[in-house]
Amino acid sequence: MAYKQKLTVLGVIACLLALVFTGTLIFSPERVSRRDNQYTWLDPKWKDQVDRIEIRGGEGETVFVRRNGLWAAVHSGREYPVREGGIADLLSDITARGEYPVRGKSASSHEKLGLSEAAASRIILWGGPASPPLLELLAGDTDLTGNEVYYRKGGQDEVRSGSNTIAGYLNYSRTSWYDLRLFSGAEGLSPEDVYRLTVIAPSGEGETPPLLPEPLVIAGNGGDWTVDGIAGEALDLSKVKAYIRLVLNSGGDDFEPGLNLEDPVFNEGRILVELEDGASKTLRLGAVLPGSGSDESGRRRAAVSSDRPYVYVLSPWTMTRLFRDTGYFRKDQADSQTSPYPAP
């Protein structure tokens, strides 16, 4: 009997010790602090309700709207396609739970932390017909380590600090959000899907109409490629396929809001892509744009027929790679001196 009583007493003591140990783990200052620091700026349940985003940061203001499930950027009164993945990343980071410890609860700290109404950058999320935003997130200065940024919600005094990931979106340029692909839907195409590629480089500056050189024609037939009659061992097939991929996946530097596809200015060179399934796409060029500096000289407007209804701006770097002459595709031809378009 005494033995059983001792076992019972020991069992009770063991249980009490286990409870005490568990309590010290659960209610330890470090664990409580970490739990209190866990925070999310917007409840994930509201993420799918967001239909307008305003970003006001170092690059000015950028506005996005969602229509029929797709995001677009609003610029100069028009809407332009954006990289859906970029918007998805932004919303995921804002709704993710992270460690954001409280650094202050008084409005007196706002100015010295860069969180005053006048100094702070901000991301504003709107959703549905409700007049107040779902979230107005203000971002201020970085801490002494440079790894964390001070944040607060609009209309609230509480200041928290945390990862600079969200603040990083405030420094994105307007064009970095854009989906600037010239040929939409071409990301799934391979060179073998192209039946013929006809390239006419711009030339004859100042002529009306512009004088265009003879076209460069790249034709494929079951993997047997010819470039203006060059074929077989004389032809560098790796360059041919790489060039076709470049054309299919090329993009502009910006959208041009001042023109439409119907404007009669896109007559200074073109690239015609004919696909095996009978579809075709034509990139048409406009005149050289005046530049205010060496990095802007040589830019051109471009439009893509039977595709997106946008006018693009192409950089000189893009132009020199889109327009190649026949010699570029010969095995014995050096890469230099093989573009009819002048190097930037």
Side-chain angles (χ1 to χ4, degrees), residues 185-251:
E187 61 273 10
L189 297 177
S190 69
E192 286 69 30
D193 295 313
V194 176
Y195 166 67
R196 182 165 52 206
L197 199 63
T198 305
V199 182
I200 301 180
S203 65
E205 296 294 339
E207 299 288 344
T208 305
L211 299 177
L212 300 178
E214 290 297 316
L216 167 71
V217 179
I218 300 175
N221 181 16
D224 295 328
W225 295 93
T226 61
V227 178
D228 284 350
I230 304 173
E233 293 185 358
L235 191 64
D236 191 330
L237 288 179
S238 64
K239 285 187 177 180
V240 174
K241 292 184 178 182
Y243 174 74
I244 295 174
R245 290 191 188 96
L246 182 144
V247 171
L248 293 175
N249 298 305
S250 58

Side-chain angles (χ1 to χ4, degrees), residues 110-309:
H110 294 174
E111 186 170 355
K112 67 179 181 181
L113 297 178
L115 285 171
S116 66
E117 290 294 327
S121 300
R122 64 199 67 205
I123 298 174
I124 308 175
L125 307 182
W126 304 81
S131 53
L134 295 172
L135 172 69
E136 181 180 9
L137 178 60
L138 280 68
D141 298 334
T142 57
D143 67 1
L144 294 177
T145 69
N147 297 322
E148 292 195 346
V149 174
Y150 295 108
Y151 300 99
R152 72 177 177 93
K153 286 186 177 182
Q156 297 186 12
D157 292 336
E158 182 181 82
V159 175
R160 291 176 178 265
S161 69
S163 169
N164 57 16
T165 299
I166 295 176
Y169 293 105
L170 293 161
N171 296 318
Y172 282 15
S173 66
R174 171 179 51 82
T175 55
S176 68
W177 292 96
Y178 285 161
D179 178 0
L180 285 160
R181 291 172 297 172
L182 297 177
F183 302 115
S184 63
E187 61 273 10
L189 297 177
S190 69
E192 286 69 30
D193 295 313
V194 176
Y195 166 67
R196 182 165 52 206
L197 199 63
T198 305
V199 182
I200 301 180
S203 65
E205 296 294 339
E207 299 288 344
T208 305
L211 299 177
L212 300 178
E214 290 297 316
L216 167 71
V217 179
I218 300 175
N221 181 16
D224 295 328
W225 295 93
T226 61
V227 178
D228 284 350
I230 304 173
E233 293 185 358
L235 191 64
D236 191 330
L237 288 179
S238 64
K239 285 187 177 180
V240 174
K241 292 184 178 182
Y243 174 74
I244 295 174
R245 290 191 188 96
L246 182 144
V247 171
L248 293 175
N249 298 305
S250 58
D253 275 22
D254 200 352
F255 292 113
E256 170 57 70
L259 292 174
N260 296 307
L261 299 186
E262 296 77 16
D263 292 332
V265 296
F266 302 105
N267 59 353
E268 299 202 17
R270 62 182 178 270
I271 297 178
L272 171 62
V273 181
E274 298 174 84
L275 302 177
E276 289 285 356
D277 62 5
S280 65
K281 302 173 185 291
T282 304
L283 172 70
R284 298 175 294 131
L285 295 177
V288 174
L289 291 170
S292 58
S294 59
D295 59 333
E296 294 185 355
S297 61
R299 298 179 306 152
R300 284 182 184 266
R301 296 187 181 102
V304 181
S305 303
S306 304
D307 209 339
R308 293 174 160 184

